[in-house]
Amino acid sequence: MYNLELRSDTFTKPTPAMLDAMMNAHVGDDVFEEDETTKTLERKCAAMFGYENALLCLSGTMANQIAITAHVKAGDEVICDALSHIYLYEGGGIMANAHASVNLLHGDRGRLSSSQIEDVIKPDNVHYPVSKLVSLENTVNKGGGSIYPIEEIKRIRQLCTDHGMLLHLDGARLFNALVETKESPLDHGALFDSITICLSKGLGAPMGTVLLGNKTFIHQARRIRKRFGGGWRQSGYIAAAGIYALDHHIDRLSEDHRRAKELGKMFSELSMVTDILPIETNIVIISLDPMFLANDIVDQWMRLGLKTSPFGKHQIRLVTHLDFSDDDMDNVRQVLKQFQPR
Ligand SMILES: *Cc1c(COP(=O)(O)O)cnc(C)c1O
């Protein structure tokens, strides 16, 4: 029985070398700010993206929610795409944690244009919530790993500055974008008030997301993280995995992208597949002929050891990662060759 794990890039397990780095980490109590390895990771990320400071958080959801909570007041408005993770997959946290309102826009595969945002910014009038924060995602998960063009981000940055709004980036897969565009972390760091970088997706660490921002913001974020129950102790073991991932697992993301494109080709040959979103990074979203239900097909593949995720009634998502090899690609080909949908 195969184990072809394409449900998510979160399934990766630490490599022996990463485990070694974790075992040898120098640790202390991070709530007392005495964990040297955590501080090293935070300084490393801050320097990489040109920020004053950084904060290692347990998960991407926690880091995004801390950022939003720090940026807005109760009753303010967050502007984001309807496909964004902060809205769809964070348990309603924009409301529950930050007590903010959401203005959902419909962009191109999850990417908003500056003019779309400009059209909905509320004037200063007591009737309205205060348009306070714009949040972007790069790459966009629900958009099939689509990359945000940096020229558009620059226009959005200018718009935010002109209107006294803040700009946040959910950069869970930002490195996937940077590997393709060859833009530098500094190019992107210069454009946002805060960024979250996930270490446990394509980079292969077991957990951890780094939140980036200026000193005052990170000080506030540290307080909110503690309130959320996210103050941790010997986090250096996790930070060591993050440092290892940043040093060794960024460039190889392009291999995941190559495999995603090949998978796209393979799946496009199935007669029940009607459409595939453009494949820009490590995510493949296929659409099925409406006579097939995504849940049914995912179940049938699962029984053959081909693990995928339903992503809507007739859509299925596949994600390539560090633990999905060229041999696995061949095995997917074998499974599909014999597959007859029921
Ligand atoms: C995975 C992911 C997150 C964070 O998820 P956690 O599971 O909480 O670490 C945030 N944004 C996007 C776009 C993601 O794909």
Side-chain angles (χ1 to χ4, degrees):
M1 169 87 156
Y2 293 122
N3 179 25
L4 304 167
E5 184 55 80
L6 290 167
R7 284 176 295 177
S8 176
D9 44 6
T10 55
F11 280 89
T12 53
K13 295 183 182 136
T15 61
M18 182 182 278
L19 281 173
D20 222 41
M22 295 169 74
M23 297 265 287
N24 292 309
H26 187 71
V27 299
D29 190 325
D30 186 58
V31 172
F32 287 79
E33 299 187 38
E34 288 183 13
D35 188 286
E36 287 307 321
T37 310
T38 301
K39 286 201 270 185
T40 301
L41 170 66
E42 290 170 346
R43 276 195 297 263
K44 182 182 174 75
C45 288
M48 224 173 159
F49 285 87
Y51 286 92
E52 289 173 357
N53 211 345
L55 185 71
L56 175 62
C57 301
L58 178 72
S59 68
T61 299
M62 180 182 269
N64 282 329
Q65 289 300 316
I66 289 172
I68 296 166
T69 305
H71 283 319
V72 305
K73 287 209 214 38
D76 287 350
E77 175 181 79
V78 178
I79 298 171
C80 64
D81 192 280
L83 297 182
S84 34
H85 193 282
I86 61 160
Y87 172 70
L88 279 181
Y89 298 125
E90 300 189 5
I94 298 174
M95 185 284 288
N97 297 317
H99 309 289
S101 173
V102 193
N103 194 334
L104 290 180
L105 304 180
H106 297 269
D108 167 34
R109 284 184 287 137
R111 298 162 303 177
L112 302 175
S113 68
S114 57
S115 61
Q116 266 182 301
I117 297 170
E118 188 168 19
D119 284 347
V120 302
I121 296 172
K122 308 267 197 301
D124 184 4
N125 175 314
V126 292
H127 291 85
Y128 301 133
V130 176
S131 300
K132 189 60 200 286
L133 178 67
V134 174
S135 181
L136 310 180
E137 191 173 306
N138 192 15
T139 66
V140 186
N141 173 24
K142 263 278 191 186
S146 51
I147 297 174
Y148 234 111
I150 194 163
E151 291 311 316
E152 197 58 47
I153 302 176
K154 285 180 184 165
R155 284 189 282 272
I156 295 171
R157 169 73 268 174
Q158 189 58 49
L159 186 68
C160 289
T161 306
D162 293 346
H163 289 83
M165 296 191 301
L166 299 168
L167 184 59
H168 172 71
L169 177 71
D170 176 350
R173 296 189 182 84
L174 179 55
F175 283 113
N176 292 86
L178 298 185
V179 161
E180 286 302 310
T181 61
K182 316 278 188 235
E183 291 149 9
S184 79
L186 288 173
D187 295 337
H188 286 256
L191 297 173
F192 294 94
D193 295 287
S194 55
I195 295 184
T196 54
I197 297 292
C198 194
L199 302 168
S200 68
K201 293 268 164 75
L203 294 187
M207 63 176 86
T209 285
V210 178
L211 173 61
L212 302 157
N214 70 25
K215 242 187 197 154
T216 324
F217 169 78
I218 293 295
H219 181 70
Q220 172 70 353
R222 190 179 292 278
R223 182 186 298 276
I224 297 167
R225 186 186 65 172
K226 190 76 177 78
R227 187 200 298 156
F228 283 1
W232 46 7
R233 305 299 180 178
Q234 287 75 37
S235 50
Y237 294 115
I238 298 306
I243 292 169
Y244 184 90
L246 291 169
D247 287 342
H248 298 94
H249 291 170
I250 294 178
D251 293 342
R252 62 151 307 284
L253 291 171
S254 58
E255 291 177 36
D256 298 342
H257 301 171
R258 168 179 61 79
R259 293 191 186 105
K261 288 194 179 78
E262 284 178 36
L263 282 174
K265 249 182 254 147
M266 259 187 242
F267 281 81
S268 68
E269 284 161 15
L270 299 177
S271 58
M272 66 178 173
V273 171
T274 54
D275 188 38
I276 300 194
L277 287 187
I279 300 166
E280 298 185 45
T281 52
N282 69 328
I283 299 179
V284 183
I285 296 182
I286 64 177
S287 297
L288 303 178
D289 181 317
M291 61 183 287
F292 297 101
L293 292 175
N295 277 324
D296 288 349
I297 298 297
V298 165
D299 282 349
Q300 292 173 42
W301 282 342
M302 190 66 135
R303 275 182 237 122
L304 302 169
L306 173 57
K307 301 177 175 179
T308 59
S309 305
F311 224 50
K313 204 171 173 194
H314 304 292
Q315 287 193 313
I316 296 176
R317 187 188 75 165
L318 302 89
V319 189
T320 57
H321 51 76
L322 185 60
D323 289 347
F324 185 83
S325 65
D326 284 332
D327 286 348
D328 293 328
M329 292 287 296
D330 291 339
N331 291 333
V332 171
R333 202 172 277 117
Q334 290 310 316
V335 170
L336 293 185
K337 220 187 258 175
Q338 292 155 21
F339 180 69
Q340 286 298 335
R342 278 182 289 108

